[in-house]
């Protein structure tokens, strides 16, 4: 009980072992990592045998099933994949419950050892690894036979304790990138490190824990063990808060955080915990539920890249606030409700670029100087027309378009109202029809200022 298993490619944790009703067969009650595979909540014919943490995420499997595999050591997995598999060894059998695996002795692979010495990138995902060493394996042997590993993928394995993961990391002094995606390690185990309590994995710069943690506290507790971490990925973890708050100097070297596919709905939650990180440059919060952003002075001072695709942002005030971020140059805002408020849709890009002065890239597309020039002048014209149409006072207009005056002065544009008609750039725009008969019968119409250059026109055509 408490072991993680692999049953025909499906991972889960054993919560019950024993008979079911009067059967002589020994059954295992398993809660699956993928809840949709479950058939019940630990009961059979009215009798409750165990209780999974997620309703209807469990089922029974026979303990002696040939489809059932339990954990092996890192050394066993490494040799099976990089030595035995290459030689097509017929003795590499699957590990079944209760069967002691005959470890392949390292003395038998001297001829292949140079190959392991050269390994830099190692992929041991889905290899049923649960620990570093088997009972008859020697500590320090991993370091001896594969000392050069820089990137290691241990995703979708059978770890239950952080100490077991740390045993492996202690052997790999040059490890730079570590993937631990889709592992279900007991979150309380990080508070009870015994063998590696004083460990510091300073070589590791990138850590991926997608679909692996249940709460931010686990990440906070991991920080002392990864003091030089620069990149962390925490996608698909259903996170909606970042408590506890970080202590001073925690994650001081962190440059990039990925929070894609979580449940954040408040920018304040993000800012309160991460806003003071001194090195943070990249923040990815795609596929969350953020509705608005308000900038607080002194936060996110080095943030260069912000991804907000597929959120719930529906207000232009957020764009105004994003202009206040001191270092923001790259922004993604695709598939937010705000984009649906602008017609034609191409104006969305124009208005965002015009109002965030430091952007050099928007939604993955670079912004040239001529792009910015055209967007800002178009925005000036649009904003002025909107003021006349809605009859805003100067104070109301300044609140809605705080960037307008700065841009008007920069471009040295004078806009006046005469004879009840707004005299603006619109009166001097030239309508251009663009078509490509070889590819489509559609004709695009664009209104351009008379001083539009050929280079700018080419850029407009490329974006169609």
């Amino acid at each position: 009980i408490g072991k993680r298993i692999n049953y025909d490619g499906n991972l889960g944790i054993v919560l019950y072992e024993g008979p079911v009703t009067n059967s002589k067969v020994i059954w295992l009650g398993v809660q699956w990592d993928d809840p949709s595979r479950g058939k019940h909540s630990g009961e059979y014919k009215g009798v409750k045998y165990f209780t999974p943490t997620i309703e209807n995420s469990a089922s029974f499997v026979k303990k002696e099933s040939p489809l059932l595999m339990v954990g092996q050591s890192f050394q066993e997995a490494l040799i099976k994949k990089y030595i035995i598999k290459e030689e097509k060894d017929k003795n590499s059998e699957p590990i079944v419950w209760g069967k002691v695996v005959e470890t392949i002795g390292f003395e038998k692979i001297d001829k292949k050892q140079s190959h392991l010495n050269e390994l830099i990138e190692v992929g041991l995902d889905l290899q049923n690894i649960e620990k570093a060493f088997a009972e008859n394996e020697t500590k320090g042997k991993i370091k001896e036979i594969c000392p050069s590993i820089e990137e290691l993928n241990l995703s979708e394995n059978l770890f239950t304790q952080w100490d077991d993961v740390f045993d492996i990391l202690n052997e790999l002094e040059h490890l730079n990138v570590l993937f631990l995606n889709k592992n279900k390690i007991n979150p309380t185990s990080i508070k009870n490190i015994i063998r590696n309590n004083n460990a510091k994995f300073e070589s590791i710069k990138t850590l991926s824990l997608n679909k692996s943690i249940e709460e931010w506290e686990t990440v906070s507790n991991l920080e002392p063990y990864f003091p030089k971490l620069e990149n962390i990925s925490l996608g698909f973890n259903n996170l909606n808060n970042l408590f506890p708050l970080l202590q001073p100097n925690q994650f001081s070297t962190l440059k990039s955080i990925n929070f894609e596919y979580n449940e954040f709905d408040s920018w304040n939650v993000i800012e309160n915990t991460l806003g003071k990180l001194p090195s943070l440059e990249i923040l990815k919060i795609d596929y969350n539920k953020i509705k608005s952003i308000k900038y607080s002075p002194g936060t996110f001072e080095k943030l260069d890249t912000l991804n907000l695709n597929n959120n719930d942002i529906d207000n232009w005030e957020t764009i105004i606030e994003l202009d206040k971020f001191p270092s923001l140059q790259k922004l993604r805002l695709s598939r937010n409700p705000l984009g649906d408020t602008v017609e034609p849709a191409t104006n969305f890009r124009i208005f965002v670029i015009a109002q965030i002065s430091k952007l050099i890239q928007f939604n993955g597309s670079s912004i040239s100087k001529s792009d910015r020039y055209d967007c800002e002048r178009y925005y000036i014209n649009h904003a002025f027309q909107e003021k006349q149409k809605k009859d805003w006072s100067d104070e109301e207009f300044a609140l809605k378009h705080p960037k307008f005056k700065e841009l008007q002065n920069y471009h040295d544009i004078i806009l006046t109202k005469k004879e009840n008609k707004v005299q603006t750039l619109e009166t001097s725009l030239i309508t251009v029809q663009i078509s490509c008969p070889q590819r489509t019968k559609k004709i695009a119409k664009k209104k351009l200022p008379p001083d539009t250059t050929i280079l700018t026109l080419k850029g407009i055509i490329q974006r169609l």
Side-chain angles (χ1 to χ4, degrees):
I1 294 176
K3 275 185 171 289
R4 287 180 54 72
I5 55 95
N6 181 334
Y7 184 84
D8 195 24
N10 299 283
L11 306 187
I13 185 168
V14 177
L15 299 181
Y16 171 79
E17 179 181 352
V20 175
T21 63
N22 296 322
S23 172
K24 294 181 180 180
V25 175
I26 300 301
W27 294 83
L28 301 177
V30 181
Q31 176 176 325
W32 302 106
D33 290 359
D34 178 5
S36 66
R37 195 185 187 284
K39 298 178 180 179
H40 52 71
S41 296
E43 68 280 333
Y44 182 72
K45 292 187 176 181
V47 179
K48 189 75 168 178
Y49 292 91
F50 64 97
T51 303
T53 58
I54 301 175
E55 189 175 358
N56 294 323
S57 63
S59 59
F60 291 103
V61 298
K62 291 181 179 180
K63 182 176 179 178
E64 299 301 328
S65 171
L67 298 177
L68 186 66
M69 292 182 284
V70 295
Q72 63 178 332
S73 73
F74 179 89
Q75 292 191 35
E76 290 171 320
L78 184 72
I79 293 173
K80 285 181 180 179
K81 180 167 183 178
Y82 289 94
I83 300 297
I84 297 177
K85 186 177 180 181
E86 291 183 1
E87 297 178 348
K88 299 181 180 180
D89 194 312
K90 297 180 181 180
N91 295 321
S92 57
E93 300 175 355
I95 309 166
V96 297
W97 189 275
K99 180 179 179 179
V100 178
V101 177
E102 181 180 355
T103 305
I104 306 300
F106 283 103
E107 67 278 1
K108 298 179 181 179
I109 60 169
D110 288 340
K111 293 181 180 179
K112 290 287 186 177
Q113 188 154 322
S114 61
H115 169 62
L116 295 179
N117 286 339
E118 297 169 358
L119 287 177
I120 294 177
E121 296 182 9
V122 172
L124 291 176
D125 49 317
L126 280 169
Q127 298 298 312
N128 304 319
I129 301 171
E130 66 174 5
K131 55 190 175 183
F133 316 105
E135 291 182 3
N136 59 342
E137 294 172 342
T138 308
K139 183 178 180 181
K141 201 66 179 181
I142 296 174
K143 179 180 178 180
E144 180 183 332
I145 66 168
C146 51
S148 304
I149 296 177
E150 296 179 9
E151 181 174 315
L152 176 62
N153 191 346
L154 291 176
S155 299
E156 292 191 84
N157 276 290
L158 304 180
F159 298 108
T160 60
Q161 304 293 315
W162 279 104
D163 237 349
D164 294 322
V165 177
F166 289 177
D167 284 340
I168 298 172
L169 304 187
N170 260 329
E171 301 273 318
L172 305 173
E173 295 180 351
H174 300 289
L175 187 62
N176 182 263
V177 179
L178 175 62
F179 295 95
L180 284 170
N181 301 323
K182 294 185 180 181
N183 278 286
K184 299 294 182 180
I185 304 172
N186 188 332
T188 63
S189 70
I190 191 61
K191 300 178 182 179
N192 301 297
I193 300 296
I194 298 174
R195 298 187 299 277
N196 302 285
N197 190 45
N198 296 317
K200 291 188 183 299
F201 309 112
E202 296 188 352
S203 67
I204 296 179
K205 300 295 190 297
T206 299
L207 175 62
S208 186
L209 292 169
N210 296 330
K211 214 168 187 178
S212 293
I213 63 170
E214 298 176 359
E215 52 191 17
W216 171 254
E217 184 178 9
T218 300
V219 181
S220 180
N221 289 331
L222 281 170
E223 188 274 340
Y225 299 98
F226 300 90
K228 299 296 180 65
L229 197 65
E230 295 181 1
N231 312 289
I232 189 166
S233 186
L234 301 167
F236 299 89
N237 284 313
N238 294 315
L239 298 174
N240 58 18
N241 71 74
L242 296 176
F243 297 108
L245 301 180
L246 295 177
Q247 299 298 313
N249 298 321
Q250 274 194 293
F251 289 119
S252 60
T253 60
L254 200 59
K255 295 181 179 181
S256 173
I257 304 176
N258 179 4
F259 279 130
E260 293 177 339
Y261 290 93
N262 279 288
E263 299 293 327
F264 294 109
D265 60 7
S266 170
W267 178 255
N268 287 340
V269 168
I270 305 291
E271 181 186 90
N272 289 342
T273 300
L274 308 178
K276 294 293 186 178
L277 290 180
S279 304
L280 188 62
E281 298 175 358
I282 301 172
L283 183 55
K284 299 179 180 180
I285 324 179
D286 303 297
Y287 294 91
N288 278 267
K289 300 175 182 178
I290 302 295
K291 297 178 176 62
S292 63
I293 292 175
K294 185 172 178 60
Y295 178 73
S296 297
T299 62
F300 297 107
E301 293 186 347
K302 287 192 175 182
L303 190 66
D304 168 87
T305 301
L306 179 60
N307 288 8
L308 291 164
N309 294 328
N310 290 85
N311 276 272
D312 295 331
I313 295 171
D314 61 359
N315 58 92
W316 285 100
E317 287 77 12
T318 288
I319 304 302
I320 294 169
E321 293 295 315
L322 289 173
D323 185 50
K324 299 176 183 178
F325 283 66
S327 303
L328 185 61
Q329 296 190 86
K330 300 172 185 176
L331 176 67
R332 287 181 181 267
L333 270 177
S334 295
R335 295 175 294 281
N336 277 271
L338 182 61
D340 298 330
T341 65
V342 180
E343 291 184 1
T346 52
N347 278 3
F348 180 59
R349 181 177 187 273
I350 293 172
F351 295 162
V352 171
I353 291 173
Q355 293 182 82
I356 305 179
S357 58
K358 291 179 284 292
L359 284 189
I360 61 172
Q361 189 180 101
F362 181 61
N363 285 345
S365 176
S366 296
I367 302 168
S368 66
K369 289 183 179 180
S370 60
D371 283 338
R372 176 163 293 284
Y373 177 86
D374 292 340
C375 290
E376 289 176 353
R377 290 177 68 88
Y378 187 92
Y379 166 75
I380 292 169
N381 174 59
H382 170 83
F384 188 73
Q385 288 190 68
E386 188 177 30
K387 178 186 179 184
Q388 307 306 318
K389 182 178 180 180
K390 297 187 178 181
D391 197 26
W392 284 331
S393 67
D394 289 343
E395 291 76 14
E396 290 173 322
F397 182 60
L399 288 174
K400 292 288 185 180
H401 294 281
K403 200 74 175 177
F404 176 84
K405 196 66 178 177
E406 175 190 334
L407 293 176
Q408 184 185 25
N409 291 337
Y410 176 78
H411 288 276
D412 195 23
I413 294 176
I414 298 176
L415 300 169
T416 60
K417 182 179 180 182
K418 297 180 181 179
E419 299 178 358
N420 296 323
K421 292 184 179 180
V422 179
Q423 304 298 317
T424 70
L425 291 175
E426 180 72 24
T427 60
S428 62
L429 294 180
I430 299 172
T431 299
V432 177
Q433 293 185 348
I434 303 171
S435 64
C436 183
Q438 294 87 350
R439 301 183 65 179
T440 179
K441 294 181 179 180
K442 294 183 179 179
I443 298 176
K445 293 183 178 181
K446 294 289 181 182
K447 290 186 177 181
L448 307 174
D451 59 350
T452 300
T453 65
I454 295 297
L455 183 61
T456 299
L457 183 58
K458 286 183 177 179
I460 294 171
I461 294 172
Q462 289 174 352
R463 292 195 296 271
L464 290 177

